[in-house]
Amino acid sequence: MRSWLTVVNWVVMVLLIQLHGGLCCWEEERLGLLDFKAFFKSNSEDAIDLLPSWLDDDYSDCCNWERVTCNSTTDRVTQLWLDNLNNNSLSDYYYIHYQPENILFLNFSIFLPFKHLISLNLSMNNLFGSIGNAAPENLELLDLSWNRFNSSLLPQDPSSFSRFRKLKHLDLSYNSFDNGILRYLNHLPAITSLSLASNNMGGPLSSHDFKNLSNLEKLYLTGNNFNGSLPF
């Protein structure tokens, strides 16, 4: 029995190596990263030197690329730090942020190959788009701050937002969300840190708006137009 199990283990290892392509970087994730680079480069005038380590080369290991972190055991991409890809200063970006011709439309399906992705930072890229049903489900950190997202980012059915049930840290500050976002947030019970600062939100808040966020520890609401008192 023991020798039979040993043979099975070796067969499984060989199959995994073949599927993996013999490299540290999983092929579908390498191609996904290159697709993202091509998208951003084709929509940005200042992206000549964008992500130079991301090479379209079969022997280039995406786990060694800048802004990419992989799990040391599985070699799956777990973190993508894709913030401020044009390397603007905050003052420069503040100007760019309010120029409509600089908006980039992002289709979140580009991140579907990253099934083990835990952290995704896309802040300060002037992005607009829709999540729909196409986004990684294992995210624990999502930073979309300093972009141009609004309610069109969200799926039509708020309950479908529950696929982000593992999300703990969400930053939506400096976008254009209104109070409608609150209906979606109630489907994220794992949230511990939430920033909605500097959006188009206003009016009074009720305890119903946060009734399911029982793990919430940090809440940032500055830069909106709320009135009344916090219902906590």
Side-chain angles (χ1 to χ4, degrees), residues 153-173:
L153 172 77
L154 306 168
Q156 292 184 349
D157 182 5
S159 64
S160 65
F161 216 54
S162 61
R163 70 180 181 277
F164 297 112
R165 60 192 179 280
K166 297 181 180 180
L167 201 60
K168 296 179 180 179
H169 308 282
L170 178 61
D171 192 341
L172 300 177
S173 59

Side-chain angles (χ1 to χ4, degrees), residues 126-137:
N126 226 26
L127 297 172
F128 174 80
S130 175
I131 288 180
N133 294 314
E137 297 184 0

